[in-house]
Amino acid sequence: MKKTILVTGGAGYIGSHTVVRLLEAGMKVVVFDNLCNSSSTTIERIERISGTRPEFVEGDILNEDAILHSLQKFSVDAVIHFAGLKSVGESVSNPLTYYKNNVVGTLNLLNAMRQLNVKTLVFSSSATVYGTGSTPPIAETAPRSVTNPYGRSKLIVEEILEDLYRADPDWKISVLRYFNPVGAHPSGLIGEDPRGIPNNLMPYVAQVAIGRLQFLSIYGNDYPTIDGTGIRDYIHVMDLAEGHLAALNYIDRKPALAAFNLGTGRGVSVLQMVDAFERATGKRVKYEFANRRKGDVATSWADPSLAFQEMGWKASRSVEEMCADAWRWQSTTL
Ligand code: NAD
Ligand code: UDP
């Protein structure tokens, strides 16, 4: 029988790409999203790409009854939980909003799931839970520490899930720690659409290339790295989407609470990323060097070997594909 998956935040960046893959894998999907950082046109686009329209509920995870209603109405088997706020800077200015949305919202979801005996969950965590103290490659066993309310909201939820699993081992929980998601669906129909001036490197680069922003400020050229600029583990959003499918299959086969890094295991500097983008798109990206950004680490990349050993998943797309796909989305749709 077809499995039904409720995807909170399924109209957002990573959620929408995952929904496409779930539908392509023959699953039934219910998107549950309040559209605070997305738009319902994404649902039409998901249908255009996959040939199937997911169910869509415009709902808020702060409303437990609404979650209960959807879980019941669609006889949901498992939940992938993307819904949340994700800006580090905003979380520093509005910590209560972040804790309410990310922590209280998740508690509501877990309560609703428990009441209906839906105990399979994939949770969007982040490499930010590793803080600044670890030397890459970072394995899942690295100590966790956080420096801002956004990161703390992810760490708190990870700890809540650990307590929940200890109290009731019937739960099947996969915690996925993403490194740096970039790129877009190769159709160019869905991708990342940050509001205002982007904070992250890839959307900023794409907006410079299209002429919406004048130049990229590269934060720091005096790091102890190959060219002095910061190094990160960029992962194509389609690889990430496939990681969620692998996680769902894994917890079905091997019920547990397990945390996995989703990264490529390859570090790329800011200048290497700019160069790859220029080569993949034929567009110039003007840049200037600026001071280091507060709170940034010099280097961060994953040890993704556990996800391969346990779930058989590994990232396969190149940096050039990430750039070409991000550009197709930026230049044809946005
Ligand atoms: P996104 O903002 O594009 O998607 C999140 C979606 O959740 C949006 O569609 C938004 O409307 C919805 N949402 C937010 N609050 C909600 C609420 N209270 N009720 C219902 N829906 C709500 O973000 P994304 O980049 O797709 O991130 C998805 C998840 O992955 C988030 O939990 C984020 O913290 C995590 N994550 C993202 C990154 C990244 O760099 N993009 C890295 C690590 C972890
Ligand atoms: N970065 C930059 N200019 C920008 C945005 C980011 O030089 O306008 C650098 C940043 O210092 C880091 C890398 O690009 O070294 C990735 O930054 P991003 O914010 O995308 O991810 P994070 O730092 O959260 O891993």
Side-chain angles (χ1 to χ4, degrees):
M1 218 182 63
K2 275 192 177 182
K3 284 243 157 80
T4 302
I5 317 295
L6 182 102
V7 183
T8 75
Y13 173 44
I14 306 170
S16 58
H17 292 79
T18 304
V19 169
V20 165
R21 270 292 183 259
L22 294 170
L23 292 170
E24 286 171 348
M27 297 183 190
K28 286 193 187 166
V29 178
V30 182
V31 171
F32 186 96
D33 198 306
N34 68 357
L35 303 180
C36 71
N37 197 35
S38 51
S39 138
S40 60
T41 56
T42 304
I43 305 296
E44 325 295 329
R45 304 227 175 114
I46 290 172
E47 183 179 11
R48 269 175 70 188
I49 296 170
S50 67
T52 314
R53 191 179 180 81
E55 297 287 350
F56 173 58
V57 177
E58 188 172 341
D60 197 310
I61 53 168
L62 292 176
N63 179 348
E64 192 178 320
D65 286 341
I67 308 171
L68 263 174
H69 181 74
S70 290
L71 290 174
Q72 218 157 16
K73 177 174 174 195
F74 298 104
S75 304
V76 168
D77 298 295
V79 175
I80 306 184
H81 178 34
F82 293 103
L85 302 176
K86 63 167 182 177
S87 156
V88 170
E90 225 174 62
S91 80
V92 173
S93 338
N94 296 313
L96 297 183
T97 309
Y98 269 66
Y99 290 127
K100 188 165 178 189
N101 210 67
N102 294 6
V103 180
V104 176
T106 304
L107 282 175
N108 291 338
L109 174 67
L110 295 172
N111 262 320
M113 289 173 70
R114 191 185 43 151
Q115 284 176 61
L116 295 173
N117 214 27
V118 179
K119 292 186 174 175
T120 305
L121 175 74
V122 177
F123 172 62
S124 293
S125 190
S126 165
T128 193
V129 299
Y130 295 122
T132 52
S134 297
T135 311
I138 301 172
E140 289 80 356
T141 47
R144 290 174 295 179
S145 72
V146 287
T147 52
N148 57 68
Y150 167 70
R152 194 161 294 112
S153 74
K154 292 292 175 190
L155 183 53
I156 291 171
V157 170
E158 286 202 5
E159 290 177 334
I160 290 172
L161 294 175
E162 287 156 18
D163 286 338
L164 179 63
Y165 181 71
R166 257 192 295 273
D168 178 0
D170 282 350
W171 280 84
K172 305 171 183 180
I173 301 174
S174 178
V175 169
L176 301 180
R177 298 181 185 140
Y178 314 150
F179 278 68
N180 289 59
V182 295
H185 191 271
S187 63
L189 286 171
I190 53 174
E192 188 177 12
D193 185 9
R195 298 202 168 149
I197 296 178
N199 290 312
N200 296 113
L201 180 66
M202 180 66 102
Y204 205 107
V205 164
Q207 292 196 17
V208 172
I210 207 154
R212 201 189 291 177
L213 294 169
Q214 271 194 316
F215 62 90
L216 168 73
S217 294
I218 297 185
Y219 301 136
N221 62 346
D222 57 351
Y223 284 112
T225 60
I226 178 171
D227 53 25
T229 65
I231 290 186
R232 294 290 182 276
D233 186 338
Y234 299 96
I235 174 168
H236 196 296
V237 66
M238 291 309 297
D239 278 326
L240 208 56
E242 286 157 12
H244 292 76
L245 228 71
L248 270 183
N249 291 333
Y250 175 76
I251 44 180
D252 226 22
R253 281 198 322 272
K254 205 167 164 180
L257 181 147
F260 295 106
N261 285 339
L262 296 187
T264 65
R266 176 185 53 210
V268 176
S269 77
V270 177
L271 280 175
Q272 286 171 333
M273 196 48 138
V274 167
D275 181 55
F277 192 91
E278 290 186 335
R279 277 186 288 110
T281 65
K283 291 279 160 189
R284 265 300 311 283
V285 178
K286 281 206 270 178
Y287 63 81
E288 287 182 3
F289 291 118
N291 290 334
R292 291 180 180 191
R293 186 170 63 177
K294 204 168 152 259
D296 269 4
V297 290
T299 58
S300 168
W301 67 89
D303 172 353
S305 53
L306 188 68
F308 185 61
Q309 275 164 35
E310 291 290 316
M311 311 196 291
W313 171 90
K314 75 172 183 210
S316 64
R317 293 164 177 87
S318 65
V319 172
E320 284 69 26
E321 278 172 281
M322 300 175 201
C323 295
D325 290 337
W327 179 242
R328 191 172 304 109
W329 157 247
Q330 175 74 57
S331 57
T332 58
T333 308
L334 272 182

